Amino acid sequence: MHPLFMEVIFAVFVLVYCLLIVRFHYYWLQIPVFQLRPNELSKQTPRVSVIIPVRNEARHIVSLLQDLEQQWLGAQKVFPKNYWEVIVVDDASEDETAALVQNFMHQTELAIALISSDVRVSNRSPKKQAIWQGIQSSQSEYIITTDGDCRVGPYWLLTWLQFLQQNRPALAAGGVTYHREKSWFERLQTIEFASLIGMSASSIQAQQPITCNGANLAFSREAFQKVGGYQEHWHVPSGDDEFLLHAVFHQFPKEVLFLKNPEAVVKTYAKRTIASFVQQRKRWAGKWKMHRESQVVLLSLLVFVFHLCFLSSLIYFAAWVKLDYWLVGLLILKIGVEWAFLKSVLRFLKKERGLINLLPLQLLYSAYFVIIGLVASGGSYTWKDRKHHQHD
């Protein structure tokens, strides 16, 4: 293949990709920052149920419950049951998760309940089944979901309550980030994850939602019931958040929002090993082919082809020992556009110091994205000590 043709293809894909990132950045900046009023909580505030599906989370669940116990509602730490409740749904844990939750229940004023998920239900995602049972056990107007390995700040709940009261969304997504990173590998994951959160928020603002994260998600009971809950995708192991987002958006397009406030950001843990990281990304990528949403399919295809082209071009140019100055300029443009977008998102997540890791990530990300995209198209993955097949 002629080098000039390769250069032109490379240039086209880089420019299209840069325009896409600029568009994400534009809509990210358009999202209004929600202003928290720490001493305000009115009688019109909707009641919420915080539902936490757990499986083998003995290492983390007590820390999350302690965070919830320390929530500030108004001017003091209080636990008014008319405002909220916590429902932990145990998904057949094989460790001490349930016992730890029960022990915590005896020592707290928190309105907390522990129920067991019915693992006998076949052809249903275990996590979706757990969340669904939690919803059936609640009476609240709004549901907020998070995960057993997450941490929340003292104003997390108050921010959500005020946001739900003022906006009355059918569904709203919040920010999620990694914390306590101990290695360079974990810090790289923080950068990548920030790009996903930024893309999620921006696409919601553009009214073309792509994805969201169930570790920090709120939706109304009415909207959940009107879209039939998870009935259209019970069989897909993952996607309790993403498929629900699209189902709700189709019926309530003006009522899907992103909560942009640092106090509402949820923190979780990056994967410590490459093996666990690959299993997680296979789980995430495996649901892409299940989508019926044209914008999700087109975006996934565009980004995959871009990274395939980008990687192939770098290998080709390296082999020919030929990289024109204008192509170097395109590379600098790509890095600059990503840098600007990620700097804004990471500042919101209070992770701006990690931005320096974007440079080494440039050399690794395209290869990683292509490999994960190919691997996720078939086979199986292990999650929460269960094996799932991609065709499930």
Side-chain angles (χ1 to χ4, degrees):
M1 189 177 295
H2 195 280
L4 180 60
F5 180 76
M6 284 294 296
E7 291 179 4
V8 171
I9 294 296
F10 178 75
V12 168
F13 273 100
V14 169
L15 289 174
V16 170
Y17 176 81
C18 287
L19 288 174
L20 180 65
I21 300 301
V22 168
R23 186 173 186 272
F24 281 139
H25 194 184
Y26 169 79
Y27 280 107
W28 168 261
L29 295 176
Q30 297 306 304
I31 304 172
V33 177
F34 180 72
Q35 299 299 318
L36 173 66
R37 296 176 176 83
N39 295 320
E40 293 185 18
L41 197 61
S42 75
K43 294 181 179 179
Q44 287 72 43
T45 301
R47 189 171 189 268
V48 302
S49 293
V50 178
I51 295 180
I52 312 168
V54 293
R55 175 173 167 79
N56 298 340
E57 291 292 355
R59 291 180 56 195
H60 303 115
I61 186 59
V62 173
S63 295
L64 173 59
L65 295 177
Q66 289 173 340
D67 287 347
L68 294 174
E69 190 179 41
Q70 298 300 314
Q71 293 298 297
W72 284 80
L73 300 184
Q76 59 184 333
K77 295 178 187 175
V78 290
F79 313 109
K81 295 183 180 180
N82 57 310
Y83 284 129
W84 70 307
E85 65 178 345
V86 177
I87 301 176
V88 180
V89 189
D90 182 39
D91 178 19
S93 293
E94 298 169 338
D95 60 8
E96 299 299 314
T97 298
L100 289 170
V101 174
Q102 288 177 332
N103 183 61
F104 187 88
M105 291 168 60
H106 295 311
Q107 304 174 20
T108 183
E109 299 176 47
L110 196 62
I112 180 171
L114 173 66
I115 63 176
S116 297
S117 181
D118 189 352
V119 295
R120 297 171 298 175
V121 179
S122 60
N123 299 320
R124 286 188 176 185
S125 157
K127 185 176 181 181
K128 291 170 188 166
Q129 174 68 19
I131 297 173
W132 182 83
Q133 285 189 222
I135 294 172
Q136 302 310 304
S137 299
S138 73
Q139 300 296 323
S140 300
E141 182 180 351
Y142 275 93
I143 306 299
I144 303 179
T145 63
T146 190
D147 294 329
D149 60 349
C150 290
R151 302 296 303 270
V152 298
Y155 290 101
W156 175 75
L157 180 65
L158 180 60
T159 308
W160 266 117
L161 288 172
Q162 291 186 0
F163 182 82
L164 296 174
Q165 176 192 337
Q166 294 182 30
N167 295 279
R168 295 288 175 172
L171 180 146
V176 185
T177 189
Y178 293 140
H179 74 142
R180 297 184 180 178
E181 303 94 326
K182 297 180 179 179
S183 67
W184 182 64
F185 177 57
E186 292 176 20
R187 288 190 286 274
L188 288 182
Q189 292 177 59
T190 298
I191 300 296
E192 184 218 9
F193 197 43
S195 70
L196 295 176
I197 296 300
M199 180 181 69
S200 166
S202 302
S203 63
I204 288 174
Q205 179 67 16
Q207 293 199 310
Q208 293 179 321
I210 297 170
T211 186
C212 61
N213 196 298
N216 199 14
L217 187 69
F219 49 89
S220 71
R221 175 184 295 277
E222 179 184 7
F224 185 81
Q225 292 174 341
K226 283 190 175 180
V227 303
Y230 302 125
Q231 66 179 7
E232 294 295 325
H233 47 88
W234 270 121
H235 62 292
V236 184
S238 61
D240 54 280
D241 43 18
E242 198 166 304
F243 291 116
L244 182 62
L245 165 69
H246 293 291
V248 172
F249 179 77
H250 280 305
Q251 292 201 32
F252 307 93
K254 301 293 185 180
E255 299 177 42
V256 174
L257 305 173
F258 183 83
L259 170 51
K260 191 177 185 182
N261 184 299
E263 297 290 350
V265 172
V266 165
K267 298 177 181 179
T268 187
Y269 298 90
K271 297 303 171 185
R272 294 186 177 181
T273 67
I274 293 177
S276 61
F277 172 81
V278 170
Q279 294 299 315
Q280 182 189 58
R281 293 317 194 262
K282 285 178 67 177
R283 180 173 67 94
W284 289 359
K287 60 191 173 187
W288 293 349
K289 62 181 180 181
M290 307 299 295
H291 270 292
R292 301 174 185 174
E293 308 301 321
S294 58
Q295 72 268 22
V296 177
V297 175
L298 289 174
L299 179 66
S300 300
L301 183 61
L302 173 63
V303 175
F304 178 81
V305 172
F306 164 76
H307 284 293
L308 181 62
C309 176
F310 187 79
L311 183 63
S312 301
S313 298
L314 290 181
I315 295 173
Y316 182 85
F317 294 135
W320 279 77
V321 196
K322 185 179 190 304
L323 192 62
D324 292 341
Y325 290 118
W326 68 281
L327 292 175
V328 174
L330 283 175
L331 286 174
I332 294 173
L333 174 65
K334 172 185 177 292
I335 294 172
V337 167
E338 289 177 331
W339 186 283
F341 176 51
L342 284 171
K343 182 177 181 179
S344 183
V345 177
L346 287 165
R347 184 186 298 122
F348 162 71
L349 297 172
K350 299 182 179 179
K351 289 288 181 178
E352 193 174 359
R353 287 200 312 172
L355 189 59
I356 191 65
N357 293 300
L358 177 62
L359 296 177
L361 194 61
Q362 293 287 324
L363 303 175
L364 302 172
Y365 192 73
S366 289
Y368 143 75
F369 196 93
V370 170
I371 293 171
I372 290 294
L374 294 173
V375 170
S377 63
S380 60
Y381 61 86
T382 301
W383 191 249
K384 298 291 183 182
D385 300 316
R386 287 192 179 112
K387 192 170 185 177
H388 299 280
H389 295 282
Q390 296 289 16
H391 62 269
D392 286 347

